[in-house]
Amino acid sequence: MFETAEVGATMSDAAFTKVRGRLRLKLVELQQQLRAADFPTIIILEGVQGAGVVDTLNLLNTWMDPRWIATTVFDDPSDEERERPLFWRYWRSLPPAGTIGLYLGAWYTDPIASHARGKMSRAAFDYCLLRIKGFEHTLAEEGALILKFWLHLSEKDQKQQIQSNRKDPLVGLRASDTSWTTPTNYAAYTNAASYALRNSMDGKTPWFIVEGSDDNSRRASVLTILAEHLEKHLAARRKLAKTKRKADKKRSNEKSLVQDKRRLEAPVRRVLDALDMTASMSDRAYAKAFHDQQLRLHELQKQARQRGLSTVVALEGWDAAGKGGAIRRLTFAMTARDYRIVPIAAPTDEERAHHYLWRFWRHLGRAGRMTIFDRSWYGRVLVERVENLIDEDAWMRGYAEINDFEQQLAEYGSVVVKMWLHISKKEQLRRFKDRSTVAHKKWKLTEDDWRNREKWDQYEDAINDMVSRTSTTAAPWHLIPANDKRFARVTVLKTVADSVEKALLTSRRKP
Amino acid sequence: MFETAEVGATMSDAAFTKVRGRLRLKLVELQQQLRAADFPTIIILEGVQGAGVVDTLNLLNTWMDPRWIATTVFDDPSDEERERPLFWRYWRSLPPAGTIGLYLGAWYTDPIASHARGKMSRAAFDYCLLRIKGFEHTLAEEGALILKFWLHLSEKDQKQQIQSNRKDPLVGLRASDTSWTTPTNYAAYTNAASYALRNSMDGKTPWFIVEGSDDNSRRASVLTILAEHLEKHLAARRKLAKTKRKADKKRSNEKSLVQDKRRLEAPVRRVLDALDMTASMSDRAYAKAFHDQQLRLHELQKQARQRGLSTVVALEGWDAAGKGGAIRRLTFAMTARDYRIVPIAAPTDEERAHHYLWRFWRHLGRAGRMTIFDRSWYGRVLVERVENLIDEDAWMRGYAEINDFEQQLAEYGSVVVKMWLHISKKEQLRRFKDRSTVAHKKWKLTEDDWRNREKWDQYEDAINDMVSRTSTTAAPWHLIPANDKRFARVTVLKTVADSVEKALLTSRRKP
């Protein structure tokens, strides 16, 4: 696949000077437009040694406003990085909307080099590429512009280039800056790269293969491609926003029709309807079970901490289902250093400027800790879906994105515990009334709660879809009848304890 | 100092029930008010084992809206934390404005326990307390409400408490949760604590010593103190904001008078006037010096990386002084993994919700890396001062805060290089005109630049004060004549190389 980049492309100084000014101006203008856009641009520069990766990086940094472009080179992972799934470090590096993230090698460097040096099997290499593809796809679907450049040299040109670089010690220093990669045998390296490139392209995450032997030609190519695609993407996103506004209007009119229609249909039996809502517990049984489960969880978490086994708990449920109370009981006998509660409220603007999963990746705890999300990434397919905050495409692909996220957690060895606290509509009303009359509970009840309640049926549909699409072996859903608070609290405790225990028994992993 | 907390304070259940409802309601209301406030609340809970620290933590978490309160317990530092000055982990943990940060032991735990166990000398203990005091003072001066609670038990009561806790295995588990501290000999521990408390109080960062033996009494005390001080602080900050608005108006009227007056005075000779602005370099001399310094810096940074020696560069200068160009030359021959450029633009809302130094702490690089700030924390005493964005008190204490920040960097072993690129007013005009005529440079010139230029004299005053107040042995200012770009670029290179070299020669530290 590199044949097109071994044709000896050149460009005279005169020709380059001619396009140079226009290109530079264009890029500066586009960067200004990007500032106001709702997506980030990710540029990946990778290639064979001597092909001008660092030169391209420097050129982009010279031409553009440094405030809105950031360069990332991945270094040896820190222990904070090693104590989370591999992609944590990539997520944390992502540029916010309106800016450009410039990567040397990015997530390609390690797998290509390792495979080329025979230190990574084809199966492991394939798996890496699959993950990378999923990652880039997730970002691109949310609007990110991803442009990947492979700067190429034939083996012969590379030899010449390296020799001529040696003559100038300074250029030599730069050309030999392969700190983001590991030089290796040319054929093995380019073979591995070719395989990686082939298997990590799709319509939205293309690779551009650019011949690197001639400075002018290489620079003009990269900059032209960048300018063209950035311009096109800006236009496409603007158009999309416009279409979306129109569609939203239209849909909100249609919606009322659909809702009316649904009410006429015979009631559907959904997964929550199968729960035994009479489940309850006497005070005495509760006292004993609570006590037993606390001791058990205390011991299990102690072991998990020693073993470096992390747990990620996502607690969801109806408004007033008792999530807060359940979490406080869950952490009652745990050591304060071992857990962290992450309440999910409105995102900050830094969070808003990233993919919606970014804020959850951000909060994952280190090895051996339990991270408890009070509401979670499932907001995407619950409130955001029901309230029409995003369009159907977005929440529909949300299931796959969430499965991918949880799979990464599970494959890293983390325990994933997802629970839905279910109360009946009648019980919710009782609790709302209680909240509205007891002075110190009033803050717990908001207009939103009443509004959500009106959409109970739509939420039931969303919950049904959520369970059917995201309950997996590695990360199953636990639906917990919660009309009786005692029963719900003990069940939450027991569910978490069971999950941790199972993982301790089956995993031997010590990260 | 703990006598007042060994008097056997008790409160009947009836009495507690009476205040409980009122207190709870009050706290919920205050938390709502806090949401809109411009400061964070930091609550530190510390005390002897068995005195109810965890119980108090749980109570606060139960009563308050979990979305705006976060608990922090410091765990063993990660390598990312160890590769930065000690307080990096504390800065990164701070709650944003409008929220409550609840700390178990916080920054007191380690020093008190270490000193009590004889593992930290009095001198080192004093030094820790000095740093802590400075840290809290810095936060409090910026408006943070800091409330520190020491929950106490006499030795006798502690023994009883621990025995009675043992009877109930669950309460025992919780009461024995001393994961944030290290239990030790009672007398040694309380002596060390007493010393720490005495030496870490001031008007704005008080300690409250509360007797912990009786649950009702302890809870009522802590909650009452919290409610009272939060209410008072909210009122004080509101009043302050009002006064400030008035003062701002008044001052802006006066300002014009002062400015007029200044113009009538004889010109003052300031530090920048002493620079030799004719300093320049021929093309040939530049080529050689550039080349030599690049090779030198390349080698030095390689060694610094191996030795784990971090460098923090702050580059300041007039608009159009050539900061961007100088930085690109500075990084020309460095390995991409070894440096990171941090351009300082407008803060994000997460940054705005913290102390102004938070965003700089946040970006400090790991061991062995160079972090290059394109504009820096000196904005506080330059633009923010000159543009009246903050009042005089704020920028006046900025010098001390900055010195303290840089001292922490230097003491950790980092190299701190601060440079001001100086151009003459005439040269600036020439460059502005150039920028306004060359199409691809137009983005570099903004309205702000012209506005800043009008305040040249005020900036010169601010620069003079900045140098006189913050040029220290560990972090000296380098004022660089930059009318000639070649001279300036080589001098920046040489200044950084000299500083790194000196540190490599004098330090043997490998963090």
Side-chain angles (χ1 to χ4, degrees), chain A residues 25-267:
Chain A
L25 187 57
K26 187 92 208 160
L27 280 172
V28 163
E29 284 169 5
L30 290 170
Q31 196 190 9
Q32 289 297 327
Q33 290 179 37
L34 178 63
R35 281 294 300 141
D38 63 349
F39 64 88
T41 298
I42 293 169
I43 301 174
I44 298 177
L45 300 172
E46 181 57 294
V48 304
Q49 196 191 339
V53 167
V54 174
D55 171 83
T56 311
L57 172 83
N58 287 339
L59 191 65
L60 286 170
N61 274 320
T62 306
W63 282 14
M64 296 200 156
D65 188 336
R67 286 172 299 173
W68 321 117
I69 185 166
T71 303
T72 301
V73 198
F74 292 107
D75 210 320
D76 304 327
S78 68
D79 64 358
E80 292 213 12
E81 290 171 338
R82 280 192 304 268
E83 290 182 19
R84 274 113 172 172
L86 179 63
F87 276 67
W88 188 75
R89 62 195 313 228
Y90 303 139
W91 276 95
R92 99 198 263 221
S93 78
L94 291 174
T99 73
I100 297 174
L102 201 52
Y103 289 85
L104 279 191
W107 26 89
Y108 289 96
T109 302
D110 286 343
I112 292 179
S114 300
H115 183 57
R117 282 181 285 133
K119 296 199 170 169
M120 184 188 270
S121 70
R122 169 62 79 85
F125 193 37
D126 280 342
Y127 180 73
C128 281
L129 293 170
L130 185 73
R131 277 275 151 268
I132 287 173
K133 226 179 142 167
F135 176 56
E136 292 181 351
H137 186 76
T138 293
L139 300 176
E141 284 291 329
E142 207 66 15
L145 172 62
I146 303 180
L147 299 171
K148 305 183 284 189
F149 294 93
W150 178 267
L151 305 188
H152 194 72
L153 283 182
S154 67
E155 190 164 12
K156 205 181 108 208
D157 283 347
Q158 189 188 42
K159 272 188 191 140
Q160 276 180 0
Q161 188 67 49
I162 292 173
Q163 263 174 350
S164 90
N165 283 343
R166 276 215 194 101
K167 286 177 201 154
D168 182 335
L170 263 199
V171 175
L173 278 183
R174 290 176 61 184
S176 74
D177 177 9
T178 50
S179 61
W180 75 93
T181 182
T182 317
T184 174
N185 173 286
Y186 181 90
Y189 185 63
T190 48
N191 280 338
S194 156
Y195 187 80
L197 267 55
R198 279 201 304 282
N199 288 290
S200 59
M201 284 198 244
D202 73 17
K204 286 183 174 169
T205 59
W207 274 100
F208 300 95
I209 295 162
V210 173
E211 183 158 4
S213 52
D214 180 82
D215 282 353
N216 289 339
S217 166
R218 177 187 65 239
R219 290 173 188 167
S221 297
V222 171
L223 297 168
T224 306
I225 292 166
L226 172 56
E228 275 174 3
H229 282 82
L230 186 48
E231 184 163 35
K232 219 168 64 184
H233 201 71
L234 280 161
R237 293 292 296 179
R238 269 191 293 263
K239 200 174 154 195
L240 187 72
K242 216 170 153 183
T243 322
K244 239 185 89 180
R245 274 194 300 274
K246 269 190 205 160
D248 279 353
K249 245 188 214 165
K250 208 174 148 196
R251 192 176 42 182
S252 67
N253 294 337
E254 279 169 5
K255 204 78 192 177
S256 44
L257 290 176
V258 176
Q259 275 175 28
D260 288 346
K261 198 177 144 208
R262 179 166 293 164
R263 302 233 182 286
L264 296 175
E265 282 170 11

Side-chain angles (χ1 to χ4, degrees), chain B residues 36 60 91 121 138 216 242 256 306 346 407 430 444 476:
Chain B
L60 286 170
W91 276 94
S121 70
T138 293
N216 289 338
K242 216 170 154 185
S256 44
Q306 280 161 4
Q407 193 187 333
R430 202 190 61 69
K444 290 189 177 185

